[in-house]
Amino acid sequence: MEFLMRKIGLIGGLALRAGIFYYEQIQKRFAASQAPLQLVLSHADVLRVLSYVAAEDRIALGAYLGGLANELADAGCEIVAISAVAPHIAISDITRVARVPLISILDAVPAGLAAAGTDRVAVFGNRAVMQTRVFGAVAKQRDISLDRDVLDWVHNTYAEIAIHGKRATQPEMTEFSRLANRLLQRKNAQAILLAGTDLSSFYAEHQPDFPHIDLAQLHIDQIVRHALA
């Protein structure tokens, strides 16, 4: 069987487990399709990226990640993806710098919600991602706003998971479940949008016990579709 295959460039390190999770999931999909995988992984500095995100310095973030995308292009990559949600705050700036097409995680959101038949979701992830409804990818009428204490706990816990590469622990799983079910019962959310790629790796071995949509998995599906032209 012959394949027309695009070489994938993956910007990882944001944080470490997220890049590994993307690589593993992409490899599994290619193995299932019996297509040859061509992939180059670039390592970004997570603390540097998070500092740009916190400062909303889109120009600096665009220059940094756009530069990494160009290094991947020089390595022969034909498409590039960033294995994190928060850096997409600067996706327009990254795209302007990059000489190679970027597969944006934001593009996977509307179709993913539609496919799930979900009208109302609550977003779990980085503070900037939650406060901006995944940078506007979730329509305002679909979004369930989080109370300040919930937003703070999810952000702080997510940052701890991302920076230290933690797997699911029982106390954190219990609290995520409690908060999710409160949103489902009291605010009429239909599902939780896991909009942080480290949450995907966090739950890799133990799926959440609440209705959820995994944005990283939607993004990975999108990357594979573009790579297998």
Side-chain angles (χ1 to χ4, degrees):
M1 186 180 296
E2 293 185 359
F3 295 90
L4 177 59
M5 166 65 196
R6 292 189 176 95
K7 189 173 184 178
I8 300 168
L10 188 62
I11 298 178
L14 304 166
L16 184 62
R17 287 211 57 80
I20 295 171
F21 177 79
Y22 264 62
Y23 173 56
E24 289 176 341
Q25 295 297 313
I26 291 170
Q27 191 277 329
K28 286 178 182 178
R29 284 161 172 75
F30 270 79
S33 69
Q34 298 184 327
L37 173 61
Q38 298 181 68
L39 184 147
V40 179
L41 177 63
S42 175
H43 180 79
D45 182 341
V46 64
L47 295 180
R48 180 176 177 181
V49 169
L50 289 177
S51 70
Y52 290 148
V53 172
E56 297 187 11
D57 191 343
R58 294 174 175 82
I59 294 175
L61 185 54
Y64 178 51
L65 294 183
L68 293 181
N70 288 336
E71 290 178 7
L72 290 167
D74 292 340
C77 296
E78 298 166 272
I79 56 173
V80 169
I82 301 166
S83 63
V85 183
H88 286 75
I89 189 174
I91 190 63
S92 296
D93 299 271
I94 299 166
T95 300
R96 276 195 291 271
V97 173
R99 302 191 308 269
V100 62
L102 290 166
I103 309 303
S104 170
I105 199 169
L106 305 185
D107 294 338
V109 175
L113 296 183
T118 302
D119 294 322
R120 291 171 61 80
V121 295
V123 177
F124 281 2
N126 172 279
R127 185 185 306 278
V129 172
M130 292 186 286
Q131 289 181 327
T132 62
R133 309 187 317 278
V134 197
F135 309 121
V138 176
K140 189 173 183 179
Q141 65 270 21
R142 289 179 179 266
D143 180 60
I144 303 292
S145 61
L146 304 185
D147 294 336
R148 180 60 181 269
D149 62 327
V150 176
L151 189 145
D152 287 344
W153 186 88
V154 172
H155 169 79
N156 292 334
T157 305
Y158 179 74
E160 185 78 7
I161 292 167
I163 292 171
H164 298 290
K166 294 170 66 175
R167 294 273 186 152
T169 62
Q170 194 58 54
E172 290 163 340
M173 288 175 64
T174 299
E175 184 63 8
F176 272 124
S177 181
R178 186 186 74 82
L179 294 176
N181 282 296
R182 192 169 79 180
L183 290 163
L184 293 165
Q185 294 166 7
R186 297 184 184 178
K187 292 202 172 186
N188 297 319
Q190 295 174 318
I192 305 300
L193 181 63
L194 299 179
T197 53
D198 289 283
L199 285 177
S200 301
S201 60
F202 178 81
Y203 280 115
E205 296 174 359
H206 304 278
Q207 286 294 295
D209 62 356
F210 49 83
H212 67 283
I213 299 169
D214 190 328
L215 184 52
Q217 295 286 5
L218 295 176
H219 191 208
I220 290 164
D221 289 341
Q222 187 182 44
I223 294 165
V224 172
R225 283 197 301 272
H226 280 81
L228 293 174

